[in-house]
Amino acid sequence: MPLIRRNRRNADQAETAPERVCFDGISATVIERTTDFVTVKLDDGTQPSVRPHKVTTCTCGGRGCK
């Protein structure tokens, strides 16, 4: 009988939902955020780095932008 191993997560490695934002009217996922830039991943796979004032919060679980 094969041995099944399960990895346990530490409390500090808890998964959080990725932050969804709106960039140029398109929903995007935040990859990295610094004081000067926000790197987002668009649905087409591109990952532009933009100024923080260029992104806004999304509504409806990322399906619509304000």
Short mmCIF file of all heavy atoms in Angstrom, two decimals:
data_model
loop_
_atom_site.label_atom_id
_atom_site.label_comp_id
_atom_site.label_asym_id
_atom_site.label_seq_id
_atom_site.Cartn_x
_atom_site.Cartn_y
_atom_site.Cartn_z
N MET A 1 0.84 -1.16 0.00
CA MET A 1 0.00 0.00 0.00
C MET A 1 0.90 1.24 0.00
O MET A 1 1.79 1.37 0.83
CB MET A 1 -0.88 -0.03 1.24
CG MET A 1 -1.90 1.02 1.30
SD MET A 1 -2.99 0.64 2.68
CE MET A 1 -4.47 1.20 1.98
N PRO A 2 0.66 2.21 -0.94
CA PRO A 2 1.52 3.39 -1.00
C PRO A 2 1.27 4.34 0.16
O PRO A 2 0.16 4.41 0.70
CB PRO A 2 1.14 4.05 -2.32
CG PRO A 2 -0.21 3.52 -2.66
CD PRO A 2 -0.31 2.16 -2.02
N LEU A 3 2.31 5.04 0.52
CA LEU A 3 2.24 5.99 1.61
C LEU A 3 1.78 7.35 1.07
O LEU A 3 2.32 7.84 0.10
CB LEU A 3 3.61 6.14 2.26
CG LEU A 3 3.72 7.08 3.43
CD1 LEU A 3 2.86 6.60 4.59
CD2 LEU A 3 5.16 7.18 3.87
N ILE A 4 0.79 7.95 1.67
CA ILE A 4 0.27 9.24 1.24
C ILE A 4 0.77 10.30 2.21
O ILE A 4 0.58 10.18 3.42
CB ILE A 4 -1.27 9.26 1.20
CG1 ILE A 4 -1.77 8.23 0.19
CG2 ILE A 4 -1.78 10.65 0.87
CD1 ILE A 4 -3.27 8.06 0.19
N ARG A 5 1.41 11.32 1.65
CA ARG A 5 1.94 12.40 2.49
C ARG A 5 1.11 13.65 2.27
O ARG A 5 0.73 13.97 1.16
CB ARG A 5 3.39 12.70 2.13
CG ARG A 5 4.30 11.58 2.45
CD ARG A 5 5.70 11.95 2.10
NE ARG A 5 6.54 10.79 2.23
CZ ARG A 5 7.78 10.83 2.65
NH1 ARG A 5 8.34 11.97 2.92
NH2 ARG A 5 8.47 9.73 2.77
N ARG A 6 0.87 14.34 3.34
CA ARG A 6 0.14 15.60 3.27
C ARG A 6 0.99 16.68 3.90
O ARG A 6 1.53 16.50 4.98
CB ARG A 6 -1.19 15.51 4.01
CG ARG A 6 -2.12 14.54 3.35
CD ARG A 6 -3.43 14.55 4.02
NE ARG A 6 -4.28 13.53 3.39
CZ ARG A 6 -5.52 13.31 3.72
NH1 ARG A 6 -6.07 13.99 4.69
NH2 ARG A 6 -6.21 12.40 3.10
N ASN A 7 1.08 17.78 3.19
CA ASN A 7 1.83 18.91 3.73
C ASN A 7 0.92 19.74 4.62
O ASN A 7 -0.22 20.00 4.27
CB ASN A 7 2.36 19.79 2.60
CG ASN A 7 3.41 19.08 1.79
OD1 ASN A 7 4.07 18.18 2.28
ND2 ASN A 7 3.57 19.49 0.55
N ARG A 8 1.42 20.14 5.73
CA ARG A 8 0.66 20.99 6.65
C ARG A 8 1.12 22.42 6.47
O ARG A 8 2.29 22.70 6.34
CB ARG A 8 0.87 20.56 8.09
CG ARG A 8 0.30 19.22 8.37
CD ARG A 8 0.42 18.90 9.82
NE ARG A 8 -0.15 17.59 10.07
CZ ARG A 8 -0.14 17.01 11.23
NH1 ARG A 8 0.41 17.61 12.26
NH2 ARG A 8 -0.67 15.81 11.38
N ARG A 9 0.17 23.32 6.49
CA ARG A 9 0.50 24.75 6.37
C ARG A 9 0.73 25.33 7.75
O ARG A 9 0.02 25.03 8.69
CB ARG A 9 -0.65 25.50 5.71
CG ARG A 9 -0.84 25.13 4.29
CD ARG A 9 -1.85 26.10 3.69
NE ARG A 9 -2.17 25.73 2.35
CZ ARG A 9 -1.55 26.22 1.28
NH1 ARG A 9 -0.58 27.07 1.45
NH2 ARG A 9 -1.89 25.84 0.08
N ASN A 10 1.71 26.18 7.84
CA ASN A 10 1.92 26.91 9.07
C ASN A 10 0.90 28.03 9.16
O ASN A 10 0.35 28.47 8.16
CB ASN A 10 3.33 27.52 9.10
CG ASN A 10 4.39 26.45 9.20
OD1 ASN A 10 4.13 25.36 9.69
ND2 ASN A 10 5.58 26.76 8.72
N ALA A 11 0.63 28.50 10.33
CA ALA A 11 -0.35 29.56 10.51
C ALA A 11 0.05 30.83 9.76
O ALA A 11 -0.79 31.57 9.29
CB ALA A 11 -0.52 29.87 11.99
N ASP A 12 1.37 31.09 9.61
CA ASP A 12 1.81 32.29 8.91
C ASP A 12 1.73 32.14 7.39
O ASP A 12 1.94 33.09 6.66
CB ASP A 12 3.22 32.68 9.33
CG ASP A 12 4.24 31.58 9.04
OD1 ASP A 12 3.82 30.43 8.85
OD2 ASP A 12 5.44 31.89 9.03
N GLN A 13 1.42 30.96 6.89
CA GLN A 13 1.31 30.73 5.45
C GLN A 13 -0.15 30.65 5.00
O GLN A 13 -0.46 30.05 3.99
CB GLN A 13 2.01 29.44 5.06
CG GLN A 13 3.51 29.47 5.20
CD GLN A 13 4.11 28.13 4.84
OE1 GLN A 13 3.45 27.10 4.89
NE2 GLN A 13 5.37 28.15 4.48
N ALA A 14 -1.03 31.25 5.76
CA ALA A 14 -2.45 31.19 5.43
C ALA A 14 -2.71 31.86 4.08
O ALA A 14 -2.16 32.90 3.77
CB ALA A 14 -3.27 31.88 6.52
N GLU A 15 -3.54 31.21 3.27
CA GLU A 15 -3.84 31.75 1.96
C GLU A 15 -4.87 32.87 2.08
O GLU A 15 -5.81 32.78 2.84
CB GLU A 15 -4.41 30.65 1.06
CG GLU A 15 -3.37 29.75 0.48
CD GLU A 15 -3.97 28.83 -0.57
OE1 GLU A 15 -4.86 29.27 -1.32
OE2 GLU A 15 -3.52 27.69 -0.64
N THR A 16 -4.65 33.90 1.31
CA THR A 16 -5.60 34.98 1.23
C THR A 16 -6.05 35.11 -0.22
O THR A 16 -5.31 34.79 -1.14
CB THR A 16 -4.98 36.31 1.70
OG1 THR A 16 -3.86 36.61 0.88
CG2 THR A 16 -4.57 36.25 3.15
N ALA A 17 -7.25 35.60 -0.40
CA ALA A 17 -7.76 35.78 -1.75
C ALA A 17 -6.98 36.91 -2.42
O ALA A 17 -6.66 37.91 -1.79
CB ALA A 17 -9.24 36.12 -1.70
N PRO A 18 -6.66 36.74 -3.71
CA PRO A 18 -5.93 37.80 -4.39
C PRO A 18 -6.77 39.07 -4.49
O PRO A 18 -8.00 39.01 -4.64
CB PRO A 18 -5.64 37.22 -5.77
CG PRO A 18 -6.56 36.08 -5.93
CD PRO A 18 -6.93 35.62 -4.56
N GLU A 19 -6.12 40.20 -4.38
CA GLU A 19 -6.83 41.48 -4.44
C GLU A 19 -7.22 41.78 -5.88
O GLU A 19 -6.39 41.74 -6.78
CB GLU A 19 -5.92 42.58 -3.91
CG GLU A 19 -6.56 43.95 -3.91
CD GLU A 19 -5.59 45.04 -3.46
OE1 GLU A 19 -4.43 44.75 -3.17
OE2 GLU A 19 -6.04 46.19 -3.43
N ARG A 20 -8.51 42.07 -6.09
CA ARG A 20 -9.01 42.41 -7.42
C ARG A 20 -9.15 43.92 -7.52
O ARG A 20 -9.65 44.56 -6.60
CB ARG A 20 -10.36 41.74 -7.68
CG ARG A 20 -10.33 40.24 -7.70
CD ARG A 20 -9.56 39.66 -8.84
NE ARG A 20 -10.28 39.92 -10.09
CZ ARG A 20 -9.83 39.61 -11.29
NH1 ARG A 20 -8.67 39.03 -11.41
NH2 ARG A 20 -10.53 39.89 -12.37
N VAL A 21 -8.67 44.48 -8.62
CA VAL A 21 -8.76 45.90 -8.86
C VAL A 21 -9.23 46.15 -10.28
O VAL A 21 -9.37 45.22 -11.08
CB VAL A 21 -7.38 46.60 -8.64
CG1 VAL A 21 -6.95 46.52 -7.20
CG2 VAL A 21 -6.34 46.02 -9.57
N CYS A 22 -9.49 47.40 -10.60
CA CYS A 22 -9.90 47.79 -11.94
C CYS A 22 -8.81 48.67 -12.53
O CYS A 22 -8.38 49.64 -11.91
CB CYS A 22 -11.22 48.54 -11.85
SG CYS A 22 -11.91 48.94 -13.45
N PHE A 23 -8.33 48.33 -13.72
CA PHE A 23 -7.31 49.10 -14.42
C PHE A 23 -7.80 49.35 -15.84
O PHE A 23 -8.05 48.41 -16.58
CB PHE A 23 -5.98 48.35 -14.43
CG PHE A 23 -4.96 48.95 -15.33
CD1 PHE A 23 -4.42 50.20 -15.05
CD2 PHE A 23 -4.53 48.29 -16.46
CE1 PHE A 23 -3.47 50.76 -15.90
CE2 PHE A 23 -3.59 48.84 -17.30
CZ PHE A 23 -3.06 50.08 -17.02
N ASP A 24 -7.98 50.60 -16.21
CA ASP A 24 -8.50 50.98 -17.54
C ASP A 24 -9.83 50.30 -17.85
O ASP A 24 -10.06 49.86 -18.98
CB ASP A 24 -7.49 50.65 -18.64
CG ASP A 24 -6.37 51.68 -18.73
OD1 ASP A 24 -6.54 52.79 -18.16
OD2 ASP A 24 -5.35 51.40 -19.37
N GLY A 25 -10.69 50.16 -16.85
CA GLY A 25 -12.01 49.57 -17.06
C GLY A 25 -12.02 48.06 -17.15
O GLY A 25 -13.02 47.45 -17.49
N ILE A 26 -10.89 47.41 -16.84
CA ILE A 26 -10.77 45.95 -16.92
C ILE A 26 -10.42 45.41 -15.54
O ILE A 26 -9.57 45.97 -14.85
CB ILE A 26 -9.65 45.56 -17.92
CG1 ILE A 26 -9.91 46.16 -19.29
CG2 ILE A 26 -9.51 44.06 -18.01
CD1 ILE A 26 -8.73 46.05 -20.23
N SER A 27 -11.06 44.31 -15.15
CA SER A 27 -10.71 43.66 -13.88
C SER A 27 -9.31 43.08 -13.97
O SER A 27 -8.92 42.52 -14.99
CB SER A 27 -11.70 42.54 -13.56
OG SER A 27 -12.92 43.07 -13.15
N ALA A 28 -8.57 43.21 -12.89
CA ALA A 28 -7.20 42.69 -12.83
C ALA A 28 -6.92 42.19 -11.43
O ALA A 28 -7.62 42.54 -10.48
CB ALA A 28 -6.21 43.79 -13.21
N THR A 29 -5.88 41.38 -11.30
CA THR A 29 -5.45 40.84 -10.02
C THR A 29 -4.12 41.48 -9.63
O THR A 29 -3.20 41.54 -10.45
CB THR A 29 -5.26 39.31 -10.11
OG1 THR A 29 -6.47 38.73 -10.57
CG2 THR A 29 -4.88 38.72 -8.77
N VAL A 30 -4.01 41.94 -8.40
CA VAL A 30 -2.77 42.56 -7.93
C VAL A 30 -1.74 41.46 -7.68
O VAL A 30 -1.99 40.51 -6.95
CB VAL A 30 -3.01 43.39 -6.65
CG1 VAL A 30 -1.69 43.88 -6.08
CG2 VAL A 30 -3.94 44.54 -6.92
N ILE A 31 -0.59 41.61 -8.31
CA ILE A 31 0.53 40.68 -8.12
C ILE A 31 1.46 41.21 -7.03
O ILE A 31 1.88 40.47 -6.14
CB ILE A 31 1.33 40.49 -9.43
CG1 ILE A 31 0.42 39.98 -10.55
CG2 ILE A 31 2.52 39.58 -9.22
CD1 ILE A 31 -0.17 38.62 -10.30
N GLU A 32 1.78 42.50 -7.11
CA GLU A 32 2.69 43.12 -6.14
C GLU A 32 2.31 44.58 -5.99
O GLU A 32 1.90 45.23 -6.95
CB GLU A 32 4.14 43.00 -6.63
CG GLU A 32 5.15 43.55 -5.68
CD GLU A 32 6.57 43.42 -6.21
OE1 GLU A 32 6.77 43.05 -7.37
OE2 GLU A 32 7.49 43.70 -5.42
N ARG A 33 2.47 45.08 -4.78
CA ARG A 33 2.14 46.49 -4.52
C ARG A 33 3.28 47.11 -3.73
O ARG A 33 3.69 46.59 -2.69
CB ARG A 33 0.84 46.57 -3.73
CG ARG A 33 0.33 47.98 -3.52
CD ARG A 33 -0.93 48.00 -2.70
NE ARG A 33 -2.08 47.50 -3.41
CZ ARG A 33 -2.93 48.27 -4.11
NH1 ARG A 33 -2.73 49.55 -4.17
NH2 ARG A 33 -3.97 47.72 -4.71
N THR A 34 3.81 48.22 -4.25
CA THR A 34 4.81 49.01 -3.53
C THR A 34 4.26 50.42 -3.40
O THR A 34 3.16 50.72 -3.87
CB THR A 34 6.16 49.03 -4.29
OG1 THR A 34 5.98 49.72 -5.53
CG2 THR A 34 6.70 47.63 -4.53
N THR A 35 5.03 51.32 -2.80
CA THR A 35 4.57 52.69 -2.65
C THR A 35 4.52 53.41 -3.99
O THR A 35 3.70 54.31 -4.18
CB THR A 35 5.45 53.47 -1.68
OG1 THR A 35 6.80 53.41 -2.12
CG2 THR A 35 5.33 52.93 -0.27
N ASP A 36 5.37 53.03 -4.93
CA ASP A 36 5.44 53.73 -6.21
C ASP A 36 4.67 53.05 -7.34
O ASP A 36 4.22 53.72 -8.27
CB ASP A 36 6.90 53.87 -6.65
CG ASP A 36 7.69 54.76 -5.71
OD1 ASP A 36 7.10 55.70 -5.15
OD2 ASP A 36 8.90 54.51 -5.54
N PHE A 37 4.55 51.72 -7.32
CA PHE A 37 3.93 50.99 -8.42
C PHE A 37 3.05 49.85 -7.92
O PHE A 37 3.28 49.30 -6.85
CB PHE A 37 4.98 50.41 -9.36
CG PHE A 37 5.71 51.45 -10.14
CD1 PHE A 37 6.96 51.88 -9.75
CD2 PHE A 37 5.17 52.01 -11.29
CE1 PHE A 37 7.64 52.84 -10.46
CE2 PHE A 37 5.83 52.97 -12.01
CZ PHE A 37 7.08 53.39 -11.59
N VAL A 38 2.07 49.49 -8.76
CA VAL A 38 1.24 48.32 -8.53
C VAL A 38 1.37 47.44 -9.78
O VAL A 38 1.13 47.91 -10.89
CB VAL A 38 -0.25 48.71 -8.33
CG1 VAL A 38 -1.10 47.46 -8.15
CG2 VAL A 38 -0.40 49.63 -7.14
N THR A 39 1.79 46.19 -9.59
CA THR A 39 1.87 45.26 -10.71
C THR A 39 0.60 44.44 -10.71
O THR A 39 0.26 43.81 -9.71
CB THR A 39 3.10 44.34 -10.59
OG1 THR A 39 4.27 45.15 -10.50
CG2 THR A 39 3.20 43.41 -11.78
N VAL A 40 -0.12 44.48 -11.84
CA VAL A 40 -1.38 43.76 -11.95
C VAL A 40 -1.29 42.73 -13.07
O VAL A 40 -0.49 42.87 -13.99
CB VAL A 40 -2.56 44.73 -12.24
CG1 VAL A 40 -2.78 45.66 -11.07
CG2 VAL A 40 -2.36 45.51 -13.51
N LYS A 41 -2.10 41.69 -12.96
CA LYS A 41 -2.17 40.67 -14.00
C LYS A 41 -3.54 40.77 -14.65
O LYS A 41 -4.56 40.61 -13.98
CB LYS A 41 -1.96 39.28 -13.43
CG LYS A 41 -1.95 38.21 -14.50
CD LYS A 41 -1.61 36.86 -13.92
CE LYS A 41 -1.54 35.83 -15.03
NZ LYS A 41 -1.22 34.52 -14.51
N LEU A 42 -3.54 41.05 -15.94
CA LEU A 42 -4.78 41.14 -16.69
C LEU A 42 -5.21 39.76 -17.17
O LEU A 42 -4.41 38.82 -17.14
CB LEU A 42 -4.61 42.10 -17.88
CG LEU A 42 -4.15 43.51 -17.52
CD1 LEU A 42 -3.93 44.33 -18.78
CD2 LEU A 42 -5.15 44.19 -16.62
N ASP A 43 -6.45 39.64 -17.62
CA ASP A 43 -6.96 38.34 -18.07
C ASP A 43 -6.21 37.79 -19.28
O ASP A 43 -6.19 36.59 -19.50
CB ASP A 43 -8.46 38.44 -18.39
CG ASP A 43 -9.29 38.65 -17.13
OD1 ASP A 43 -8.81 38.27 -16.04
OD2 ASP A 43 -10.40 39.17 -17.24
N ASP A 44 -5.59 38.66 -20.09
CA ASP A 44 -4.83 38.18 -21.25
C ASP A 44 -3.42 37.74 -20.89
O ASP A 44 -2.64 37.33 -21.73
CB ASP A 44 -4.80 39.24 -22.35
CG ASP A 44 -4.03 40.50 -21.96
OD1 ASP A 44 -3.51 40.57 -20.83
OD2 ASP A 44 -3.96 41.42 -22.79
N GLY A 45 -3.06 37.81 -19.58
CA GLY A 45 -1.77 37.33 -19.11
C GLY A 45 -0.71 38.40 -18.97
O GLY A 45 0.34 38.14 -18.41
N THR A 46 -0.95 39.59 -19.49
CA THR A 46 0.04 40.65 -19.36
C THR A 46 0.08 41.16 -17.92
O THR A 46 -0.90 41.08 -17.19
CB THR A 46 -0.27 41.83 -20.32
OG1 THR A 46 -1.57 42.33 -20.02
CG2 THR A 46 -0.19 41.39 -21.76
N GLN A 47 1.26 41.67 -17.52
CA GLN A 47 1.45 42.12 -16.15
C GLN A 47 2.07 43.52 -16.14
O GLN A 47 3.25 43.68 -15.85
CB GLN A 47 2.33 41.15 -15.39
CG GLN A 47 1.71 39.79 -15.21
CD GLN A 47 2.58 38.87 -14.38
OE1 GLN A 47 3.66 39.23 -13.93
NE2 GLN A 47 2.12 37.66 -14.18
N PRO A 48 1.28 44.55 -16.42
CA PRO A 48 1.84 45.90 -16.39
C PRO A 48 2.05 46.41 -14.97
O PRO A 48 1.34 46.03 -14.05
CB PRO A 48 0.78 46.74 -17.11
CG PRO A 48 -0.49 46.00 -16.88
CD PRO A 48 -0.11 44.54 -16.85
N SER A 49 3.06 47.26 -14.81
CA SER A 49 3.29 47.96 -13.55
C SER A 49 2.80 49.38 -13.74
O SER A 49 3.26 50.08 -14.65
CB SER A 49 4.77 47.95 -13.18
OG SER A 49 5.18 46.65 -12.85
N VAL A 50 1.88 49.81 -12.90
CA VAL A 50 1.24 51.12 -13.05
C VAL A 50 1.31 51.88 -11.74
O VAL A 50 1.57 51.31 -10.68
CB VAL A 50 -0.22 50.96 -13.52
CG1 VAL A 50 -0.29 50.29 -14.87
CG2 VAL A 50 -1.04 50.19 -12.52
N ARG A 51 1.06 53.17 -11.81
CA ARG A 51 1.00 54.00 -10.62
C ARG A 51 -0.24 53.65 -9.82
O ARG A 51 -1.27 53.31 -10.39
CB ARG A 51 0.97 55.48 -11.01
CG ARG A 51 2.22 55.93 -11.68
CD ARG A 51 3.31 56.01 -10.68
NE ARG A 51 4.35 56.95 -11.13
CZ ARG A 51 5.38 57.23 -10.40
NH1 ARG A 51 5.54 56.70 -9.23
NH2 ARG A 51 6.27 58.05 -10.85
N PRO A 52 -0.17 53.73 -8.50
CA PRO A 52 -1.32 53.35 -7.66
C PRO A 52 -2.59 54.13 -7.96
O PRO A 52 -3.69 53.59 -7.81
CB PRO A 52 -0.83 53.64 -6.24
CG PRO A 52 0.65 53.56 -6.31
CD PRO A 52 1.01 54.06 -7.69
N HIS A 53 -2.51 55.37 -8.41
CA HIS A 53 -3.72 56.14 -8.69
C HIS A 53 -4.44 55.67 -9.96
O HIS A 53 -5.55 56.08 -10.22
CB HIS A 53 -3.40 57.64 -8.77
CG HIS A 53 -2.63 58.04 -9.98
ND1 HIS A 53 -1.26 57.95 -10.04
CD2 HIS A 53 -3.03 58.52 -11.18
CE1 HIS A 53 -0.85 58.36 -11.23
NE2 HIS A 53 -1.91 58.71 -11.94
N LYS A 54 -3.81 54.78 -10.74
CA LYS A 54 -4.42 54.26 -11.96
C LYS A 54 -5.33 53.06 -11.71
O LYS A 54 -6.03 52.62 -12.60
CB LYS A 54 -3.34 53.83 -12.97
CG LYS A 54 -2.49 54.95 -13.48
CD LYS A 54 -3.26 55.71 -14.51
CE LYS A 54 -2.36 56.73 -15.19
NZ LYS A 54 -3.04 57.43 -16.23
N VAL A 55 -5.32 52.51 -10.49
CA VAL A 55 -6.16 51.36 -10.17
C VAL A 55 -7.23 51.77 -9.17
O VAL A 55 -7.01 52.63 -8.32
CB VAL A 55 -5.35 50.16 -9.62
CG1 VAL A 55 -4.39 49.63 -10.65
CG2 VAL A 55 -4.62 50.52 -8.36
N THR A 56 -8.42 51.18 -9.31
CA THR A 56 -9.52 51.45 -8.38
C THR A 56 -10.06 50.11 -7.90
O THR A 56 -9.75 49.06 -8.47
CB THR A 56 -10.64 52.25 -9.06
OG1 THR A 56 -11.13 51.50 -10.18
CG2 THR A 56 -10.16 53.61 -9.52
N THR A 57 -10.90 50.16 -6.88
CA THR A 57 -11.47 48.92 -6.34
C THR A 57 -12.54 48.38 -7.28
O THR A 57 -13.18 49.12 -8.01
CB THR A 57 -12.09 49.16 -4.96
OG1 THR A 57 -13.07 50.17 -5.08
CG2 THR A 57 -11.03 49.58 -3.96
N CYS A 58 -12.71 47.08 -7.27
CA CYS A 58 -13.74 46.42 -8.08
C CYS A 58 -14.93 46.03 -7.21
O CYS A 58 -14.81 45.91 -6.00
CB CYS A 58 -13.19 45.17 -8.74
SG CYS A 58 -12.14 45.50 -10.15
N THR A 59 -16.05 45.81 -7.85
CA THR A 59 -17.25 45.38 -7.15
C THR A 59 -17.68 44.02 -7.68
O THR A 59 -17.14 43.53 -8.67
CB THR A 59 -18.39 46.39 -7.35
OG1 THR A 59 -18.64 46.50 -8.76
CG2 THR A 59 -18.03 47.76 -6.81
N CYS A 60 -18.64 43.42 -7.06
CA CYS A 60 -19.20 42.14 -7.48
C CYS A 60 -18.15 41.05 -7.60
O CYS A 60 -18.12 40.28 -8.56
CB CYS A 60 -19.96 42.28 -8.80
SG CYS A 60 -21.32 43.45 -8.72
N GLY A 61 -17.24 40.96 -6.66
CA GLY A 61 -16.23 39.91 -6.68
C GLY A 61 -15.31 39.99 -7.87
O GLY A 61 -14.80 39.00 -8.35
N GLY A 62 -15.02 41.21 -8.35
CA GLY A 62 -14.10 41.36 -9.46
C GLY A 62 -14.75 41.29 -10.82
O GLY A 62 -14.09 41.36 -11.84
N ARG A 63 -16.09 41.16 -10.88
CA ARG A 63 -16.77 41.04 -12.18
C ARG A 63 -17.13 42.39 -12.78
O ARG A 63 -17.45 42.47 -13.95
CB ARG A 63 -18.02 40.19 -12.04
CG ARG A 63 -17.70 38.73 -11.82
CD ARG A 63 -18.97 37.95 -11.78
NE ARG A 63 -19.80 38.42 -10.68
CZ ARG A 63 -20.16 37.70 -9.64
NH1 ARG A 63 -19.79 36.46 -9.56
NH2 ARG A 63 -20.90 38.19 -8.69
N GLY A 64 -17.08 43.42 -12.00
CA GLY A 64 -17.43 44.74 -12.54
C GLY A 64 -16.61 45.82 -11.90
O GLY A 64 -16.26 45.74 -10.74
N CYS A 65 -16.27 46.82 -12.65
CA CYS A 65 -15.47 47.92 -12.12
C CYS A 65 -16.31 49.15 -11.92
O CYS A 65 -17.26 49.37 -12.66
CB CYS A 65 -14.32 48.23 -13.08
SG CYS A 65 -13.12 46.90 -13.20
N LYS A 66 -15.97 49.94 -10.92
CA LYS A 66 -16.69 51.18 -10.63
C LYS A 66 -16.40 52.21 -11.69
O LYS A 66 -15.36 52.28 -12.24
CB LYS A 66 -16.27 51.74 -9.28
CG LYS A 66 -16.78 50.95 -8.11
CD LYS A 66 -16.38 51.64 -6.84
CE LYS A 66 -16.87 50.89 -5.63
NZ LYS A 66 -16.52 51.53 -4.39
#
